Amino acid sequence: MNDRPPDRRRPRLTVIRDRIRRLADQARPAPPAGSSFAVLRERGLLPSQPPEASTGSAQEVRNERIVVGVNALATARGAGVLITYGLGSCIAVILLDPNSRVGAMCHYMLPDSTQDPRRSASQPLMFGDMAIAQLAEVFTRRGGDPRNAEAYVVGGASLSGMGDLFDIGGRNARMARVTLERLRYHVRGHEVGDRTSRTASLDLNTGAIVVATPGLAPRRLR
Amino acid sequence: MTREAIRHTIALRQYAAAAAVELPIPPAVMARMVALMDDPKRDAYKIAEVVEVDPGLGADSLRIANSAAFAFRNPVTSIRQAVVALGERLMRELIARRMRAILGRPELPGYEMLNEGLWRHSIRCAAAAARLSSRTAVSPGIAYTAGLMADIGKLALAQPLRERWDEVRARLEADADCAFDVLEDELLGADHAEIGAEMIRRWTLPPAIVAAVAHHHHPSAAPAKHRAIANVIHVADLVAMQIGVAAGSDGLWYRSDERAIAALEITPAIVEGLMCDVESDVAHLEELLSDPSA
Ligand SMILES: [Fe+2]
């Protein structure tokens, strides 16, 4: 299988697979109670029930939970909750236009696409520089105004003791800062670094941005 | 044995007994599967012979070979065909899916892992271990199996950890450089690695797997003959942690073992490449989570 000639259909297959995975993510049951997620749910920041096959009631739209998988991105407008789980050294970047209530979130694993041209061609969302550029694009396309936009950066944890070898978290966070600056997005809040795994959510009903860590109380970035 | 050592051994046994789990594959079948994975001269015939012995595994084999993940052009109708198509990979798939029955808890208290987090971390550790094994003489199937079982001891420590979480948290906040397994040992009397080894000892797996589980957070302390596999599982676990997808309250609070990293000649590019490869290796297993028929 490894010596197959480069296949031009590959990127499309990857896109389709990512789409299937996103759908699968959305169908996944809500995490059970008894954790910091329960606190989020109590405060109405997470829906109490997983989204059902939509019958289109206003309540369901309000609570629709869009799970952003690894190396993926999503947008929403006016209602719904964008959430991504388990950011280790990965980074979530959130863009929010509070006027139009357009939000976008990506979750990438590695900093720099130029380090791996082969993979970045088939999975651009895996790399910070390309993921954030695409995030800005879909955010604008969905109706977000870059001049009103607020950016938030979450994740980038690191293991200790080995300097650069396991400091992908630090490099991921730097790439977020540099890329957002280059695209002229203002970083209004962040929680990056240290050694904890995080879950980040943006509730478009309220504009709340919350970071949760297993075993700790959730924090509000906005 | 000092009094301290005796107390430690008793704590280990108590934790392991309290969390006793059955091997999800009949022990004799498992032993033959592991032996075959370690045998460079195995062939499809020998693998089929082992899998066919157990009706459940035979049915699983057909289900795996016909799953969307492998998408063969024609339906696979016999175990022999499944083995020819998938080879050793079939055995790894069987073990990973069966281990889900043990590790795939919807919620693990203390470690606060959700959505089968322990299993999802373990399949990543296993996939990374299989890939890293090529840097050593360890066979990929053995590395995979050890990686899958590395953190099984967390099942035993989950509840005790939750009960003393406030102390654990205070220690983490006080010392940015502390290691979670050391905390477990100090506050709960044993760490999840050694408890895990104690739990699987009854499964009559090769000693290398038990040693790798026991030493996965400090492989340099493993006996010389098992050091290579311990190094592999150590680095594989760090890679899986770094991805973070299924991390718990212990987050990335572990120390890397410099000697293991030097022995495997790990560079940043290798770590990054592994993170990508592992995510694609486990994608089809992740899809099982949303498939009620799986
Ligand atoms: Fe561990």
Side-chain angles (χ1 to χ4, degrees), chain A residues 21 24 28-29 31-35 37 70 86 88-90 109-110 119 126 158-160 162 165-166 168 171 195-197 214-216, chain B residues 107 112 114 120 162 165 169 176-178 242-245 247 249 251-254 256 258 261 267-268 272-273 275-277 286-287 290:
Chain A
R21 277 166 77 177
R28 222 164 266 174
S35 63
F37 298 102
V70 188
S89 61
C90 301
M109 203 160 77
L110 297 174
R119 279 201 184 88
M126 187 178 271
S158 287
L159 289 150
S160 104
M162 280 310 290
L165 192 51
F166 285 103
I168 292 169
R171 287 190 287 134
R195 302 171 67 188
T196 53
S197 170
L216 301 178
Chain B
E107 183 187 11
E112 303 292 339
L114 302 169
R120 296 169 70 211
R162 167 174 259 182
W165 176 249
R169 188 170 133 188
D177 216 32
C178 75
Q242 175 116 298
I243 295 171
V245 166
S249 61
L252 284 76
W253 293 94
Y254 292 93
S256 48
E258 286 175 48
I261 283 158
T267 64
E272 294 187 14
M275 288 169 72
C276 302
D277 291 337
E286 285 271 312
E287 276 163 24
S290 51

Short mmCIF file of all heavy atoms in Angstrom, two decimals, chain A residues 21 24 28-29 31-35 37 70 86 88-90 109-110 119 126 158-160 162 165-166 168 171 195-197 214-216, chain B residues 107 112 114 120 162 165 169 176-178 242-245 247 249 251-254 256 258 261 267-268 272-273 275-277 286-287 290:
data_model
loop_
_atom_site.label_atom_id
_atom_site.label_comp_id
_atom_site.label_asym_id
_atom_site.label_seq_id
_atom_site.Cartn_x
_atom_site.Cartn_y
_atom_site.Cartn_z
N ARG A 21 -16.35 11.86 10.55
CA ARG A 21 -15.93 11.85 11.95
C ARG A 21 -16.60 12.96 12.73
O ARG A 21 -16.96 12.78 13.89
CB ARG A 21 -14.41 12.00 12.04
CG ARG A 21 -13.72 10.67 11.87
CD ARG A 21 -12.27 10.86 11.63
NE ARG A 21 -11.55 11.17 12.85
CZ ARG A 21 -10.23 11.32 12.87
NH1 ARG A 21 -9.54 11.20 11.79
NH2 ARG A 21 -9.61 11.58 14.00
N ALA A 24 -20.01 11.82 13.47
CA ALA A 24 -19.94 10.82 14.53
C ALA A 24 -19.74 11.50 15.87
O ALA A 24 -20.37 11.15 16.86
CB ALA A 24 -18.80 9.85 14.24
N ARG A 28 -22.15 11.51 19.46
CA ARG A 28 -21.64 10.89 20.68
C ARG A 28 -22.42 11.36 21.90
O ARG A 28 -22.79 12.52 21.98
CB ARG A 28 -20.18 11.30 20.83
CG ARG A 28 -19.31 10.16 21.26
CD ARG A 28 -17.86 10.50 21.03
NE ARG A 28 -17.41 10.01 19.72
CZ ARG A 28 -16.22 10.27 19.22
NH1 ARG A 28 -15.36 11.01 19.86
NH2 ARG A 28 -15.88 9.77 18.05
N PRO A 29 -22.68 10.47 22.87
CA PRO A 29 -23.46 10.89 24.03
C PRO A 29 -22.71 11.92 24.86
O PRO A 29 -21.48 11.97 24.85
CB PRO A 29 -23.63 9.59 24.81
CG PRO A 29 -22.58 8.67 24.30
CD PRO A 29 -22.29 9.08 22.90
N PRO A 31 -21.00 13.67 28.02
CA PRO A 31 -20.26 13.07 29.12
C PRO A 31 -21.13 12.99 30.37
O PRO A 31 -21.97 13.86 30.59
CB PRO A 31 -19.09 14.04 29.33
CG PRO A 31 -19.42 15.28 28.58
CD PRO A 31 -20.41 14.91 27.54
N PRO A 32 -20.95 11.93 31.16
CA PRO A 32 -21.79 11.75 32.33
C PRO A 32 -21.49 12.76 33.43
O PRO A 32 -20.48 13.45 33.39
CB PRO A 32 -21.42 10.35 32.79
CG PRO A 32 -20.05 10.12 32.26
CD PRO A 32 -19.96 10.90 31.00
N ALA A 33 -22.38 12.81 34.42
CA ALA A 33 -22.22 13.75 35.51
C ALA A 33 -21.09 13.33 36.43
O ALA A 33 -20.49 12.28 36.25
CB ALA A 33 -23.53 13.85 36.28
N GLY A 34 -20.81 14.13 37.43
CA GLY A 34 -19.81 13.75 38.41
C GLY A 34 -18.43 14.26 38.07
O GLY A 34 -17.44 13.75 38.53
N SER A 35 -18.33 15.27 37.24
CA SER A 35 -17.03 15.79 36.85
C SER A 35 -17.16 17.28 36.68
O SER A 35 -18.22 17.87 36.88
CB SER A 35 -16.62 15.16 35.53
OG SER A 35 -17.56 15.55 34.55
N PHE A 37 -17.35 18.65 34.02
CA PHE A 37 -18.31 18.85 32.95
C PHE A 37 -19.73 19.00 33.52
O PHE A 37 -20.56 19.70 32.97
CB PHE A 37 -18.26 17.70 31.95
CG PHE A 37 -16.94 17.61 31.27
CD1 PHE A 37 -16.01 16.67 31.66
CD2 PHE A 37 -16.59 18.51 30.28
CE1 PHE A 37 -14.78 16.61 31.05
CE2 PHE A 37 -15.36 18.46 29.66
CZ PHE A 37 -14.44 17.50 30.06
N VAL A 70 -10.26 16.59 16.59
CA VAL A 70 -8.84 16.93 16.39
C VAL A 70 -8.61 17.22 14.91
O VAL A 70 -9.11 16.49 14.05
CB VAL A 70 -7.94 15.76 16.83
CG1 VAL A 70 -6.48 16.20 16.81
CG2 VAL A 70 -8.32 15.26 18.19
N GLY A 86 -10.24 17.60 25.23
CA GLY A 86 -8.93 16.97 25.31
C GLY A 86 -7.83 17.66 24.53
O GLY A 86 -7.18 17.07 23.69
N GLY A 88 -4.37 18.48 24.67
CA GLY A 88 -3.11 18.27 25.39
C GLY A 88 -2.15 19.36 24.94
O GLY A 88 -2.29 20.52 25.34
N SER A 89 -1.22 19.00 24.08
CA SER A 89 -0.34 20.03 23.52
C SER A 89 -1.02 20.72 22.34
O SER A 89 -0.49 21.66 21.78
CB SER A 89 0.97 19.40 23.07
OG SER A 89 0.72 18.44 22.06
N CYS A 90 -2.22 20.24 21.97
CA CYS A 90 -2.97 20.87 20.87
C CYS A 90 -3.48 22.24 21.29
O CYS A 90 -3.53 22.57 22.47
CB CYS A 90 -4.17 20.01 20.49
SG CYS A 90 -3.75 18.35 19.96
N MET A 109 -3.05 20.15 15.93
CA MET A 109 -2.15 19.30 16.69
C MET A 109 -0.70 19.76 16.61
O MET A 109 0.06 19.60 17.55
CB MET A 109 -2.27 17.88 16.15
CG MET A 109 -1.88 16.80 17.09
SD MET A 109 -2.58 15.21 16.59
CE MET A 109 -1.51 14.77 15.25
N LEU A 110 -0.29 20.29 15.46
CA LEU A 110 1.12 20.63 15.25
C LEU A 110 1.25 22.07 14.78
O LEU A 110 0.33 22.62 14.18
CB LEU A 110 1.73 19.69 14.21
CG LEU A 110 1.77 18.20 14.60
CD1 LEU A 110 2.26 17.36 13.43
CD2 LEU A 110 2.66 17.97 15.82
N ARG A 119 2.11 15.85 4.57
CA ARG A 119 0.90 15.77 5.39
C ARG A 119 0.05 17.03 5.28
O ARG A 119 -1.16 16.96 5.29
CB ARG A 119 1.26 15.53 6.85
CG ARG A 119 1.56 14.09 7.14
CD ARG A 119 1.39 13.81 8.62
NE ARG A 119 1.79 12.45 8.92
CZ ARG A 119 3.04 12.10 9.21
NH1 ARG A 119 3.98 13.01 9.26
NH2 ARG A 119 3.32 10.85 9.46
N MET A 126 -4.39 20.08 10.36
CA MET A 126 -3.53 19.52 11.40
C MET A 126 -2.51 20.55 11.88
O MET A 126 -1.97 20.44 12.97
CB MET A 126 -2.82 18.29 10.81
CG MET A 126 -2.02 17.47 11.78
SD MET A 126 -1.31 16.04 10.94
CE MET A 126 -2.60 14.82 11.12
N SER A 158 2.46 21.08 28.05
CA SER A 158 3.71 20.39 27.75
C SER A 158 4.07 19.40 28.84
O SER A 158 3.72 19.59 29.99
CB SER A 158 4.86 21.40 27.63
OG SER A 158 4.74 22.13 26.45
N LEU A 159 4.80 18.38 28.43
CA LEU A 159 5.43 17.48 29.40
C LEU A 159 6.66 18.19 29.94
O LEU A 159 7.20 19.07 29.29
CB LEU A 159 5.86 16.20 28.70
CG LEU A 159 4.70 15.30 28.28
CD1 LEU A 159 5.07 14.50 27.05
CD2 LEU A 159 4.33 14.37 29.42
N SER A 160 7.10 17.80 31.11
CA SER A 160 8.27 18.47 31.65
C SER A 160 9.53 17.66 31.41
O SER A 160 9.48 16.46 31.20
CB SER A 160 8.08 18.74 33.14
OG SER A 160 8.84 17.83 33.90
N MET A 162 12.12 17.57 29.10
CA MET A 162 12.90 17.24 27.92
C MET A 162 13.08 18.41 26.98
O MET A 162 13.37 18.24 25.81
CB MET A 162 12.26 16.07 27.18
CG MET A 162 12.57 14.73 27.79
SD MET A 162 14.32 14.48 28.12
CE MET A 162 14.95 14.34 26.45
N LEU A 165 12.01 18.65 22.96
CA LEU A 165 11.52 17.40 22.40
C LEU A 165 10.02 17.24 22.60
O LEU A 165 9.31 16.82 21.71
CB LEU A 165 12.26 16.23 23.07
CG LEU A 165 12.07 14.88 22.41
CD1 LEU A 165 12.34 14.95 20.93
CD2 LEU A 165 13.00 13.87 23.07
N PHE A 166 9.57 17.58 23.81
CA PHE A 166 8.14 17.47 24.06
C PHE A 166 7.53 18.84 24.30
O PHE A 166 6.59 18.97 25.04
CB PHE A 166 7.87 16.50 25.21
CG PHE A 166 8.06 15.06 24.82
CD1 PHE A 166 9.20 14.36 25.18
CD2 PHE A 166 7.10 14.43 24.06
CE1 PHE A 166 9.37 13.05 24.80
CE2 PHE A 166 7.27 13.11 23.66
CZ PHE A 166 8.40 12.41 24.03
N ILE A 168 5.97 20.66 22.02
CA ILE A 168 5.11 20.99 20.90
C ILE A 168 4.03 21.97 21.37
O ILE A 168 3.64 22.86 20.62
CB ILE A 168 4.50 19.70 20.32
CG1 ILE A 168 5.63 18.91 19.67
CG2 ILE A 168 3.42 20.01 19.30
CD1 ILE A 168 5.28 17.52 19.28
N ARG A 171 5.36 25.47 21.13
CA ARG A 171 5.48 25.92 19.74
C ARG A 171 4.11 26.11 19.11
O ARG A 171 3.90 27.03 18.31
CB ARG A 171 6.32 24.92 18.94
CG ARG A 171 7.81 25.04 19.33
CD ARG A 171 8.71 24.25 18.40
NE ARG A 171 8.57 22.83 18.66
CZ ARG A 171 8.42 21.91 17.72
NH1 ARG A 171 8.38 22.25 16.46
NH2 ARG A 171 8.32 20.65 18.05
N ARG A 195 0.63 21.98 32.45
CA ARG A 195 0.66 20.54 32.15
C ARG A 195 -0.71 19.90 32.20
O ARG A 195 -0.85 18.71 32.43
CB ARG A 195 1.64 19.87 33.12
CG ARG A 195 3.02 20.50 32.99
CD ARG A 195 3.96 20.05 34.04
NE ARG A 195 4.27 18.66 33.90
CZ ARG A 195 4.96 17.95 34.78
NH1 ARG A 195 5.39 18.52 35.88
NH2 ARG A 195 5.20 16.69 34.57
N THR A 196 -1.76 20.73 32.03
CA THR A 196 -3.10 20.17 32.14
C THR A 196 -3.76 20.03 30.77
O THR A 196 -3.48 20.78 29.85
CB THR A 196 -4.00 21.06 33.01
OG1 THR A 196 -3.94 22.39 32.49
CG2 THR A 196 -3.52 21.06 34.44
N SER A 197 -4.65 19.06 30.69
CA SER A 197 -5.45 18.87 29.49
C SER A 197 -6.73 19.70 29.65
O SER A 197 -7.28 19.78 30.73
CB SER A 197 -5.78 17.40 29.36
OG SER A 197 -6.73 17.22 28.35
N PRO A 214 -10.16 18.45 33.76
CA PRO A 214 -10.66 17.39 34.63
C PRO A 214 -10.15 17.59 36.06
O PRO A 214 -8.96 17.79 36.26
CB PRO A 214 -10.07 16.11 34.02
CG PRO A 214 -9.73 16.46 32.60
CD PRO A 214 -9.43 17.91 32.59
N GLY A 215 -11.07 17.59 37.01
CA GLY A 215 -10.67 17.69 38.40
C GLY A 215 -10.55 19.10 38.93
O GLY A 215 -10.29 19.29 40.12
N LEU A 216 -10.72 20.12 38.10
CA LEU A 216 -10.63 21.51 38.55
C LEU A 216 -11.92 22.25 38.20
O LEU A 216 -12.68 21.80 37.36
CB LEU A 216 -9.45 22.23 37.90
CG LEU A 216 -8.05 21.65 38.13
CD1 LEU A 216 -7.03 22.47 37.38
CD2 LEU A 216 -7.73 21.60 39.62
N GLU B 107 -17.10 6.61 32.36
CA GLU B 107 -16.48 7.61 33.21
C GLU B 107 -15.57 6.92 34.21
O GLU B 107 -15.92 5.90 34.77
CB GLU B 107 -17.53 8.41 33.99
CG GLU B 107 -16.90 9.49 34.82
CD GLU B 107 -17.89 10.20 35.73
OE1 GLU B 107 -19.02 9.72 35.87
OE2 GLU B 107 -17.50 11.23 36.30
N GLU B 112 -10.96 11.38 36.25
CA GLU B 112 -11.98 12.18 35.55
C GLU B 112 -11.91 11.99 34.04
O GLU B 112 -11.92 12.95 33.27
CB GLU B 112 -11.83 13.67 35.89
CG GLU B 112 -11.92 13.99 37.37
CD GLU B 112 -13.31 13.75 37.96
OE1 GLU B 112 -14.30 13.72 37.20
OE2 GLU B 112 -13.40 13.58 39.20
N LEU B 114 -13.57 10.81 30.61
CA LEU B 114 -14.92 10.70 30.11
C LEU B 114 -14.93 9.96 28.79
O LEU B 114 -13.90 9.82 28.14
CB LEU B 114 -15.51 12.10 29.91
CG LEU B 114 -15.53 12.95 31.16
CD1 LEU B 114 -15.87 14.39 30.81
CD2 LEU B 114 -16.54 12.39 32.16
N ARG B 120 -9.48 5.04 24.96
CA ARG B 120 -9.04 5.89 23.84
C ARG B 120 -7.58 6.30 24.00
O ARG B 120 -6.86 6.42 23.03
CB ARG B 120 -9.96 7.10 23.71
CG ARG B 120 -11.37 6.68 23.35
CD ARG B 120 -12.35 7.82 23.49
NE ARG B 120 -12.11 8.82 22.47
CZ ARG B 120 -12.33 10.11 22.64
NH1 ARG B 120 -12.76 10.57 23.80
NH2 ARG B 120 -12.11 10.95 21.67
N ARG B 162 -9.98 9.75 43.76
CA ARG B 162 -11.04 10.73 43.91
C ARG B 162 -11.18 11.15 45.38
O ARG B 162 -11.34 12.32 45.70
CB ARG B 162 -12.37 10.17 43.41
CG ARG B 162 -13.54 11.03 43.82
CD ARG B 162 -14.84 10.58 43.22
NE ARG B 162 -15.17 11.43 42.09
CZ ARG B 162 -16.28 11.32 41.37
NH1 ARG B 162 -17.13 10.39 41.64
NH2 ARG B 162 -16.52 12.14 40.40
N TRP B 165 -8.46 13.62 46.21
CA TRP B 165 -8.14 14.53 45.12
C TRP B 165 -7.64 15.89 45.61
O TRP B 165 -6.73 16.48 45.02
CB TRP B 165 -9.34 14.69 44.19
CG TRP B 165 -9.04 15.70 43.13
CD1 TRP B 165 -9.58 16.93 42.98
CD2 TRP B 165 -8.04 15.57 42.09
NE1 TRP B 165 -8.99 17.58 41.91
CE2 TRP B 165 -8.04 16.77 41.36
CE3 TRP B 165 -7.14 14.57 41.73
CZ2 TRP B 165 -7.19 16.99 40.28
CZ3 TRP B 165 -6.29 14.78 40.66
CH2 TRP B 165 -6.32 15.98 39.94
N ARG B 169 -4.32 17.60 44.27
CA ARG B 169 -4.37 18.87 43.57
C ARG B 169 -3.45 19.90 44.22
O ARG B 169 -2.74 20.64 43.54
CB ARG B 169 -5.82 19.35 43.60
CG ARG B 169 -6.07 20.54 42.77
CD ARG B 169 -7.56 20.72 42.73
NE ARG B 169 -7.89 22.10 42.99
CZ ARG B 169 -9.14 22.50 43.16
NH1 ARG B 169 -10.12 21.63 43.15
NH2 ARG B 169 -9.39 23.76 43.34
N ALA B 176 5.41 22.46 40.19
CA ALA B 176 5.15 22.39 38.75
C ALA B 176 5.90 21.25 38.08
O ALA B 176 5.63 20.90 36.95
CB ALA B 176 5.53 23.71 38.08
N ASP B 177 6.85 20.68 38.78
CA ASP B 177 7.69 19.66 38.17
C ASP B 177 7.38 18.26 38.69
O ASP B 177 8.11 17.32 38.40
CB ASP B 177 9.16 20.02 38.43
CG ASP B 177 10.03 19.66 37.25
OD1 ASP B 177 9.53 19.74 36.12
OD2 ASP B 177 11.20 19.28 37.48
N CYS B 178 6.30 18.12 39.46
CA CYS B 178 6.09 16.82 40.10
C CYS B 178 5.53 15.81 39.10
O CYS B 178 5.04 16.16 38.04
CB CYS B 178 5.21 16.94 41.32
SG CYS B 178 3.51 17.19 40.96
N GLN B 242 0.69 13.55 24.92
CA GLN B 242 0.91 14.81 24.23
C GLN B 242 -0.25 15.12 23.29
O GLN B 242 -0.71 16.25 23.22
CB GLN B 242 2.20 14.68 23.44
CG GLN B 242 2.50 15.84 22.60
CD GLN B 242 3.77 16.50 23.08
OE1 GLN B 242 3.88 16.98 24.20
NE2 GLN B 242 4.74 16.52 22.25
N ILE B 243 -0.76 14.11 22.59
CA ILE B 243 -1.92 14.33 21.72
C ILE B 243 -3.07 14.83 22.58
O ILE B 243 -3.78 15.75 22.20
CB ILE B 243 -2.30 13.03 20.98
CG1 ILE B 243 -1.18 12.62 20.04
CG2 ILE B 243 -3.61 13.21 20.22
CD1 ILE B 243 -1.36 11.25 19.41
N GLY B 244 -3.22 14.22 23.75
CA GLY B 244 -4.11 14.80 24.75
C GLY B 244 -5.57 14.43 24.61
O GLY B 244 -6.36 14.68 25.50
N VAL B 245 -5.94 13.80 23.49
CA VAL B 245 -7.35 13.56 23.19
C VAL B 245 -8.13 12.98 24.37
O VAL B 245 -9.24 13.37 24.62
CB VAL B 245 -7.47 12.62 21.97
CG1 VAL B 245 -8.87 12.09 21.83
CG2 VAL B 245 -7.07 13.36 20.72
N ALA B 247 -6.95 12.73 27.73
CA ALA B 247 -6.23 12.92 29.00
C ALA B 247 -7.21 13.12 30.15
O ALA B 247 -8.33 13.56 29.95
CB ALA B 247 -5.30 14.12 28.89
N SER B 249 -7.37 13.87 34.74
CA SER B 249 -6.90 14.85 35.71
C SER B 249 -5.39 14.79 35.88
O SER B 249 -4.78 15.72 36.38
CB SER B 249 -7.59 14.60 37.05
OG SER B 249 -7.25 13.29 37.50
N GLY B 251 -3.43 14.69 33.42
CA GLY B 251 -2.93 15.53 32.33
C GLY B 251 -1.59 15.09 31.78
O GLY B 251 -1.40 13.93 31.41
N LEU B 252 -0.67 16.03 31.72
CA LEU B 252 0.68 15.72 31.22
C LEU B 252 1.67 15.74 32.38
O LEU B 252 2.84 16.07 32.21
CB LEU B 252 1.09 16.73 30.13
CG LEU B 252 0.46 16.55 28.75
CD1 LEU B 252 -0.97 17.04 28.73
CD2 LEU B 252 1.24 17.27 27.68
N TRP B 253 1.16 15.42 33.57
CA TRP B 253 2.00 15.49 34.77
C TRP B 253 2.90 14.26 34.90
O TRP B 253 2.82 13.53 35.89
CB TRP B 253 1.14 15.61 36.03
CG TRP B 253 0.40 16.89 36.11
CD1 TRP B 253 -0.88 17.13 35.70
CD2 TRP B 253 0.86 18.14 36.65
NE1 TRP B 253 -1.23 18.43 35.94
CE2 TRP B 253 -0.18 19.07 36.52
CE3 TRP B 253 2.08 18.55 37.23
CZ2 TRP B 253 -0.06 20.39 36.95
CZ3 TRP B 253 2.19 19.86 37.65
CH2 TRP B 253 1.13 20.77 37.51
N TYR B 254 3.68 13.98 33.93
CA TYR B 254 4.62 12.87 34.03
C TYR B 254 5.99 13.33 33.57
O TYR B 254 6.11 14.32 32.85
CB TYR B 254 4.14 11.67 33.21
CG TYR B 254 2.88 11.05 33.77
CD1 TYR B 254 1.62 11.44 33.32
CD2 TYR B 254 2.95 10.12 34.81
CE1 TYR B 254 0.47 10.90 33.87
CE2 TYR B 254 1.80 9.57 35.36
CZ TYR B 254 0.57 9.97 34.89
OH TYR B 254 -0.57 9.44 35.43
N SER B 256 9.55 12.58 31.56
CA SER B 256 10.12 11.71 30.53
C SER B 256 11.48 11.20 31.02
O SER B 256 12.18 11.87 31.77
CB SER B 256 10.25 12.47 29.22
OG SER B 256 10.86 13.72 29.44
N GLU B 258 15.07 10.44 30.22
CA GLU B 258 16.05 10.85 29.20
C GLU B 258 16.77 9.67 28.58
O GLU B 258 17.08 9.67 27.39
CB GLU B 258 17.10 11.78 29.82
CG GLU B 258 16.58 13.16 30.09
CD GLU B 258 17.62 13.99 30.80
OE1 GLU B 258 18.76 14.00 30.34
OE2 GLU B 258 17.26 14.62 31.81
N ILE B 261 14.69 8.00 25.94
CA ILE B 261 14.59 8.82 24.73
C ILE B 261 15.88 8.75 23.93
O ILE B 261 15.87 8.67 22.70
CB ILE B 261 14.20 10.25 25.13
CG1 ILE B 261 12.69 10.23 25.45
CG2 ILE B 261 14.50 11.25 24.04
CD1 ILE B 261 12.22 11.33 26.31
N THR B 267 13.66 12.16 18.17
CA THR B 267 13.84 13.58 17.87
C THR B 267 12.46 14.25 17.81
O THR B 267 11.45 13.55 17.70
CB THR B 267 14.51 13.76 16.50
OG1 THR B 267 13.61 13.24 15.50
CG2 THR B 267 15.84 13.02 16.42
N PRO B 268 12.42 15.58 17.84
CA PRO B 268 11.12 16.25 17.74
C PRO B 268 10.36 15.83 16.48
O PRO B 268 9.14 15.65 16.53
CB PRO B 268 11.48 17.74 17.69
CG PRO B 268 12.78 17.84 18.40
CD PRO B 268 13.51 16.55 18.11
N GLU B 272 6.52 14.34 16.33
CA GLU B 272 5.44 14.95 15.55
C GLU B 272 4.88 13.97 14.52
O GLU B 272 3.67 13.89 14.33
CB GLU B 272 5.94 16.22 14.85
CG GLU B 272 6.29 17.30 15.85
CD GLU B 272 6.64 18.63 15.20
OE1 GLU B 272 6.36 18.80 13.99
OE2 GLU B 272 7.18 19.49 15.91
N GLY B 273 5.76 13.23 13.85
CA GLY B 273 5.31 12.26 12.87
C GLY B 273 4.44 11.19 13.52
O GLY B 273 3.40 10.80 12.99
N MET B 275 2.64 11.47 16.26
CA MET B 275 1.33 12.02 16.64
C MET B 275 0.36 11.93 15.47
O MET B 275 -0.79 11.53 15.62
CB MET B 275 1.48 13.46 17.12
CG MET B 275 2.15 13.58 18.48
SD MET B 275 2.61 15.29 18.89
CE MET B 275 1.00 16.02 19.22
N CYS B 276 0.84 12.30 14.28
CA CYS B 276 -0.01 12.23 13.09
C CYS B 276 -0.39 10.79 12.76
O CYS B 276 -1.56 10.48 12.55
CB CYS B 276 0.70 12.79 11.87
SG CYS B 276 1.24 14.48 12.05
N ASP B 277 0.62 9.92 12.74
CA ASP B 277 0.37 8.53 12.35
C ASP B 277 -0.59 7.85 13.32
O ASP B 277 -1.47 7.10 12.91
CB ASP B 277 1.70 7.75 12.32
CG ASP B 277 2.59 8.20 11.17
OD1 ASP B 277 2.06 8.76 10.19
OD2 ASP B 277 3.82 8.02 11.27
N GLU B 286 -11.93 4.79 16.83
CA GLU B 286 -12.72 5.89 17.40
C GLU B 286 -14.14 5.86 16.84
O GLU B 286 -15.09 6.21 17.54
CB GLU B 286 -12.08 7.23 17.03
CG GLU B 286 -10.84 7.55 17.84
CD GLU B 286 -11.17 8.28 19.13
OE1 GLU B 286 -11.94 9.24 19.08
OE2 GLU B 286 -10.67 7.86 20.18
N GLU B 287 -14.27 5.45 15.59
CA GLU B 287 -15.60 5.43 14.98
C GLU B 287 -16.53 4.42 15.66
O GLU B 287 -17.74 4.57 15.62
CB GLU B 287 -15.50 5.18 13.47
CG GLU B 287 -15.23 6.46 12.72
CD GLU B 287 -14.72 6.24 11.31
OE1 GLU B 287 -14.97 5.17 10.74
OE2 GLU B 287 -14.06 7.16 10.80
N SER B 290 -19.32 5.64 18.18
CA SER B 290 -20.64 6.14 17.83
C SER B 290 -21.46 5.10 17.08
O SER B 290 -22.48 5.40 16.53
CB SER B 290 -20.49 7.41 16.99
OG SER B 290 -19.61 7.16 15.93
#
